[in-house]
Amino acid sequence: MKIYTSLIFDMDGVLVDSEPVIEAAAIAGLKEYGVDAQPEDFVPFVGAGEDRYIGGVAGKYGVEYKKEMKDRVYQIYLEMVDDRIGLFEGVPAMLAELRRRGYKLALASSADHIKINANLKAAGIDKALFHTVLGGDDVVKKKPDPEIYRTACERLGENPADCLVMEDALNGAEAASAAGCDCWGISSSFTPEQLSAAGACRVLNKTVELAGYVS
């Protein structure tokens, strides 16, 4: 099996089960702007960051996207997250173990840092476990553009070919592959077949399974 020096994690759907929470917050927030969004409307925009997640759905209903929409959705999200976020058992311990084994760890999420911080706190994941943390507000182009993964590799001081990305979203798998990283999918949001078609070279059922595959 190929040896990697660094492991890069998406957040939503990989480290925490937060996709249902942001969907509920976006539906509630968009309703205030006259958009009666449905859950299926968000599927094409999963993993692309909240500007696209919210803006893409608003546009579908003919409503112009404004940044204040994202601000309002995040406000609602922060009110929900502590009570409604889903936890993936064993993830904090797995991250600590991987770091102990000598891997460089990075978090590269399309979400803004306000959401990253809230999720990590709610899930009991120590932010200090990561050598670098990147959010959607750190890059110009969001997933499926490879910018965030290329930037993560640069911050880690690693060649993309030596980095393994864990992703649950099709947009994220495309971004990781385009950046030159290997991508393993987590089938929490999309099917193994969909993830493989988007660029994942292996698909796991759960993120914690990763520890059994790397040395």
Side-chain angles (χ1 to χ4, degrees), residues 13-175:
V14 174
L15 299 180
V16 293
D17 186 13
S18 51
E19 298 291 2
V21 189
I22 191 62
E23 179 186 283
I27 288 173
L30 282 169
K31 198 170 188 66
E32 297 179 8
Y33 291 88
V35 176
D36 187 19
Q38 303 302 308
E40 59 271 19
D41 295 332
F42 297 94
V43 173
F45 311 111
V46 171
E50 268 69 59
D51 288 293
R52 186 71 181 130
Y53 187 80
I54 300 162
V57 175
K60 177 181 178 180
Y61 287 87
V63 175
E64 182 182 358
Y65 174 67
K66 301 176 182 178
K67 183 182 176 296
E68 67 185 57
M69 294 177 177
K70 180 177 72 171
D71 294 339
R72 177 58 182 144
V73 169
Y74 274 152
Q75 184 180 38
I76 296 169
Y77 183 87
L78 293 178
E79 294 169 356
M80 294 179 170
V81 65
D82 287 341
D83 294 329
R84 297 179 62 171
I85 196 169
L87 306 181
F88 292 142
E89 185 177 357
V91 165
M94 179 204 69
L95 293 170
E97 171 61 17
L98 292 172
R99 175 126 184 182
R100 186 193 67 77
R101 295 183 195 176
Y103 287 102
K104 292 181 181 178
L105 305 182
L107 190 158
S109 172
S110 292
D112 290 1
H113 279 272
I114 186 172
K115 184 183 177 190
I116 292 172
N117 292 335
N119 281 0
L120 294 181
K121 180 176 178 291
I125 297 174
D126 185 358
K127 193 175 182 179
L129 287 170
F130 301 99
H131 293 78
T132 189
V133 174
L134 278 162
D137 38 357
D138 291 316
V139 295
V140 175
K141 298 178 181 178
K142 309 299 193 294
K143 304 172 188 176
D145 188 273
E147 181 183 355
I148 194 166
Y149 284 124
R150 287 176 177 163
T151 304
C153 294
E154 290 171 2
R155 287 194 182 183
L156 292 170
E158 298 289 348
N159 187 311
D162 296 322
C163 299
L164 174 62
V165 171
M166 305 300 295
E167 264 286 357
D168 73 304
L170 308 185
N171 286 312
E174 290 180 24

